[in-house]
Amino acid sequence: MLDHLEYAAPKVKTIAGAKEDWELVIGMEIHAQVASEAKLFSGASTQFGSEPNSNVSFVDAAMPGMLPVINEYCIEQAVRTGLGLKADINLFSAFDRKNYFYPDLPQGYQISQLYHPIVGEGEVLVDMEPGVARLVRIERIHLEQDAGKSIHDMDPNMSFVDLNRTGVALMEIVSRPDIRGPEEAAAYVLKLRQILRYLGTCDGNMQNGNLRADVNVSVCRPGQYEKYQETQDFSHLGTRCEIKNMNSTRFIQMAIDYEARRQIAILEDGGEVDQETRLYDAAKNETRSMRSKEEAHDYRYFPCPDLLPLEIEQEWVDEIKKSLPELPDEKKARFVKDFGLSEYDAGVLTADTVNADYFEKVVATGEDGKLSANWVINELFGRLKKDDKDIEDCPVTPEQLGEIVKLIKADTISGKIAKDLFEIVYTEGGDPAQIVEERGMKQVTDTGAIEAAVDEIIAANPAQVEKAKANPKLAGWFVGQVMKATQGKANPKAVDALVKEKLGL
């Protein structure tokens, strides 16, 4: 929790039913693929997009006699994630077998952690808008191996199985039911993704399935959630349904909204919501039943006989903690404090480590936090968006942009000239200071030359002079005309002062 960034909890999302109002209660299970070159229990590659069934070891294919061997780096990544979420790290954890049968699960079971997960309780602060955030509690993070992929659209009569993903390490990050609306759910996924990317423990690529969400949705009457918070008794909440394998924040919001309204309609008709697992159909914008919700005993969990319990040392955890990067909340708070930025601007700049690093390099050269932020967010990001480019492909280096900021701050160039200079650097490259010198772009600070231009404009427009004297706001017209006459090179502050002086305002 960051004391120097104060926030209030967002209002709870209320949905009006036909008879009464209802509130949403949402918990999420995020499956994050561990950023590792090898799988959890084998040395096979985790590279995405390889030829089907080309990244499969004998262990992944469950060949007889093959035994799993723990990938230490995957354990380290899970610990790093736990520390980044301010969670408890369990020095003792163990793997279990979760038994179910599916064509893309060669073993007939998944190695997971039910009874002794590697990471305990943590928290995520989910920003909704400046000064408004929801604290979502993390219940646990456990490690497990991913299943393969069944492909049903290659042939009308057959299904195919690709085992490349089989055995890839997943972190299942389980939240408490602290999320209270579709927008919060989407923001939670994005915040968690941001933290994981900062930590380097998951690339968060939702299109590739590297980050997927199971969304648990229920509804309750106003006041019931507060009773649950007081007692932690789930009987105060409604029956939940789980929407599986969501990999789009937009679809997550649409699915939650549909599912909540479906449950409200059932309850208001006097029915009961069945606890079940459902799938979201984006084309029809509806959820449909997949299977009744299984409990732990349905999977016949038992300790994995092929793996000893995992015991790690506190000293090792402490070493990992020392190597943690500055995380988004801390970085945002520092940008607000050190550079005098608004919370919104700091949030934009810390959305990604690449953006934040770029900005800090601009400030190092330009020596002005607010001005640097303005140029990075408005001019640079705006131009990159227009050209459909990422900051990694930006033709302007942070040092070049910092030099432009420095020239503005020193009154060497005006803001208008700075935009022209930015365009030249963006399209042609070059040293900004040298371009200004060679192309005569320096700002005119000679008051004599500016005064002559002001006198000329005033003398040529007597009618406008009378209007400005009657309405001082119209003095800006003269400033604009002088700037135009000097091709934007006159110092705007000097022009403004002289215009007011000459007009007697």
Side-chain angles (χ1 to χ4, degrees), residues 450 454 478-480 482-483 490-500:
I450 296 172
V454 171
F478 288 95
V479 175
V482 174
M483 294 304 294
N491 184 316
K493 290 178 186 174
V495 173
D496 187 59
L498 278 167
V499 165
K500 286 178 179 174

Side-chain angles (χ1 to χ4, degrees), residues 361-392:
K361 287 175 183 174
V362 174
V363 176
T365 304
E367 300 174 354
D368 188 308
K370 281 189 174 179
L371 194 55
S372 295
N374 183 47
W375 272 83
V376 171
I377 293 171
N378 297 324
E379 300 301 326
L380 183 73
F381 288 175
R383 182 56 187 271
L384 291 175
K385 185 177 181 181
K386 180 184 172 187
D387 293 351
D388 196 23
K389 285 184 177 179
D390 294 324
I391 199 162
E392 290 94 334

